[in-house]
Amino acid sequence: MISLSEILLPEHINLQLDALDQTTAVEELLFPLRGDIRIGNWDTLRASILERAAPAVSTDDGFGIVIAHGRTNAVNSLVMSAGRSPNGFPSPDIQGSVRLVFVVGIPTALNQEYLRVVGTIARLCGKPETLQKLLHAPSARSFLDLLLSWENKL
């Protein structure tokens, strides 16, 4: 089983997204992945993620999360970035504003791991206590540490 610590690196976490919409937020999170050695073809990864219209999902707190993902052979292992929008941005999918965005690149062959990773993120962000801590994490490292500590409890 692959841990989030192997997929999400602190340098791929942006706690100050400038985006005012979902597409721009996803693009903002894709950019730091450009030089990652796990990605064979960044343009193909980008296209596979952007071609899927990942819906925003509302949490119990009224905030939204987006998990944009693409399954492609452009990556040779799972790769992820995460971002937090300080003020949030609107989405037609929910009444509240989107505050957290995750971008995941999945090799085509890793179907089970893909489902586990996306499910883990959804479950973690669906818990009000967890969501509030992620929304107030002071640094990328603390954001990641929170995710990792909760992942181990699932």
Side-chain angles (χ1 to χ4, degrees):
M1 182 168 78
I2 299 171
S3 168
L4 290 177
S5 66
E6 298 172 66
I7 304 167
L8 180 60
L9 307 176
E11 58 267 26
H12 295 156
I13 298 172
N14 179 347
L15 300 181
Q16 295 293 321
L17 288 174
D18 293 322
L20 300 176
D21 63 74
Q22 182 172 320
T23 301
T24 307
V26 170
E27 289 273 16
E28 200 173 331
L29 291 173
L30 277 166
F31 186 76
L33 296 174
R34 192 173 195 114
D36 193 299
I37 62 170
R38 299 170 292 179
I39 300 171
N41 187 319
W42 186 83
D43 290 323
T44 301
L45 170 64
R46 179 182 172 274
S48 74
I49 290 173
L50 292 176
E51 75 185 14
R52 294 177 185 254
V57 178
S58 186
T59 66
D60 290 340
D61 287 358
F63 297 115
I65 65 165
V66 170
I67 305 172
H69 60 282
R71 293 182 62 213
T72 175
N73 287 325
V75 294
N76 49 40
S77 65
L78 283 161
V79 63
M80 182 189 305
S81 61
R84 181 176 69 199
S85 175
N87 299 315
F89 55 85
S91 169
D93 301 321
I94 61 170
Q95 289 184 350
S97 60
V98 173
R99 296 289 307 278
L100 296 177
V101 180
F102 296 86
V103 172
V104 187
I106 306 115
T108 306
L110 291 182
N111 196 33
Q112 293 301 321
E113 283 300 314
Y114 143 71
L115 293 172
R116 189 192 68 74
V117 167
V118 171
T120 296
I121 294 167
R123 281 192 306 280
L124 292 175
C125 293
K127 297 178 179 183
E129 163 190 326
T130 306
L131 179 64
Q132 285 303 314
K133 287 183 179 179
L134 290 173
L135 290 174
H136 295 93
S139 68
R141 180 82 247 174
S142 62
F143 185 96
L144 179 57
D145 287 345
L146 286 167
L147 287 175
L148 297 177
S149 70
W150 294 320
E151 177 187 34
N152 293 330
K153 294 177 186 176
L154 290 179

